[in-house]
Amino acid sequence: MRILLVEDDQMLGDGIRAGLMQQGYAADWVESGDAAETAMLTNEYEMLILDLGLPGKSGIEVLKDVRAKGNDLPVIILTARDTVEDRVLGLDSGADDYLTKPFELDELTARIRALIRRRGGRSNPVIEHKDIVVDPASHAVKKEDNVIDISPREFTILLLLLENLGKVLSRNRLEEGLYAWNEEVESNTVEVHIHHLRKKLGSDLIRTIRGVGYIIDKE
Ligand code: CA
């Protein structure tokens, strides 16, 4: 899952980015609204985490522009501004959630999971597909009640395909979900992970659409 973090505080930005990466998210971190807009032009994100007090364009202005362009990606505001008026303004400007500093990373990632879940039209926090059960919170994967050992990158690909059930995702789209800017993209890596996932979860789970990408079919 690719996340864009907009935060002008160096220590906080670095800490949140590292924490998100550790949780298996591909997190890009920028320090201004202008940089955020450039990033959104060149990458497809599943989530925007937005500070409000930024140099230049404010977080609220960035948010309003995102919504004015018809971009419906989930947005969590992360800010020290904690008055009722601030929260109302943020939510009414198009944010999906609002978290005030100081906060715990565990709460931020739980809110990320909740928003991704709702976006996928699910209420159950655990994803069940045929004989496979995936828990985004614990990263646990089971097949026919057996725990399957899968790597963080394999998990990311599996989750992306399950969250987009019935849709073909291109190799490029999967790569974007795997790697942030500062990470080196290995060639053929998506193919290798898919190969491993098929070995562990069954060869018919993920279907290749030649020249287009990969899909997990709806039941
Ligand atoms: Ca700030």
Side-chain angles (χ1 to χ4, degrees):
M1 301 268 159
R2 193 78 175 258
I3 295 178
L4 181 62
L5 167 67
V6 192
E7 170 63 68
D8 65 321
D9 182 300
Q10 291 278 336
M11 268 185 48
L12 198 56
D14 196 36
I16 299 170
R17 193 190 63 82
L20 291 174
M21 300 286 282
Q22 209 167 27
Q23 293 278 317
Y25 296 105
D28 294 328
W29 167 37
V30 294
E31 295 170 50
S32 74
D34 286 333
E37 287 180 352
T38 306
M40 283 186 279
L41 286 175
T42 48
N43 295 96
E44 195 171 340
Y45 292 99
E46 268 84 33
M47 177 81 50
L48 174 64
I49 300 174
L50 186 62
D51 182 22
L52 291 186
L54 294 167
K57 216 169 186 178
S58 78
I60 290 290
E61 285 174 293
V62 173
L63 176 58
K64 284 182 172 167
D65 283 353
V66 163
R67 294 308 187 220
K69 284 178 189 144
N71 189 339
D72 66 349
L73 93 166
V75 178
I76 301 176
I77 289 176
L78 194 57
T79 179
R81 296 180 193 170
D82 60 357
T83 68
V84 171
E85 290 81 4
D86 286 322
R87 292 200 293 270
V88 169
L89 176 65
L91 293 167
D92 278 347
S93 299
D96 300 282
D97 204 350
Y98 198 104
L99 189 58
T100 52
K101 298 169 187 168
F103 65 97
E104 295 292 329
L105 192 70
D106 282 350
E107 182 174 357
L108 176 62
T109 53
R111 285 172 187 264
I112 290 171
R113 286 192 296 275
L115 284 178
I116 300 273
R117 186 163 76 223
R118 272 178 240 152
R119 186 180 174 77
R122 288 185 296 118
S123 50
N124 188 345
V126 170
I127 302 173
E128 293 177 30
H129 179 75
K130 296 180 180 166
D131 59 355
I132 292 164
V133 179
V134 175
D135 183 353
S138 66
H139 285 203
V141 177
K142 283 185 185 175
K143 180 177 167 66
E144 290 167 350
D145 283 334
N146 297 312
V147 176
I148 307 293
D149 183 29
I150 73 171
S151 75
R153 296 229 201 264
E154 288 163 15
F155 185 84
T156 298
I157 288 183
L158 178 63
L159 198 56
L160 274 171
L161 288 167
L162 284 171
E163 295 281 12
N164 292 280
L165 206 62
K167 287 184 206 154
V168 182
L169 298 186
S170 68
R171 196 187 112 160
N172 191 44
R173 173 84 168 70
L174 292 172
E175 245 167 31
E176 285 214 349
L178 285 179
Y179 296 102
W181 292 330
N182 54 339
E183 294 181 290
E184 201 177 317
V185 179
E186 303 150 54
S187 65
N188 292 329
T189 181
V190 169
E191 284 88 340
V192 171
H193 293 318
I194 297 269
H195 174 71
H196 288 153
L197 283 169
R198 281 176 175 149
K199 268 171 73 177
K200 293 172 185 180
L201 299 172
S203 57
D204 57 347
L205 177 69
I206 301 168
R207 212 151 53 81
T208 302
I209 308 292
R210 198 168 281 278
V212 187
Y214 301 94
I215 183 172
I216 294 183
D217 290 303
K218 290 184 181 173
E219 285 184 66

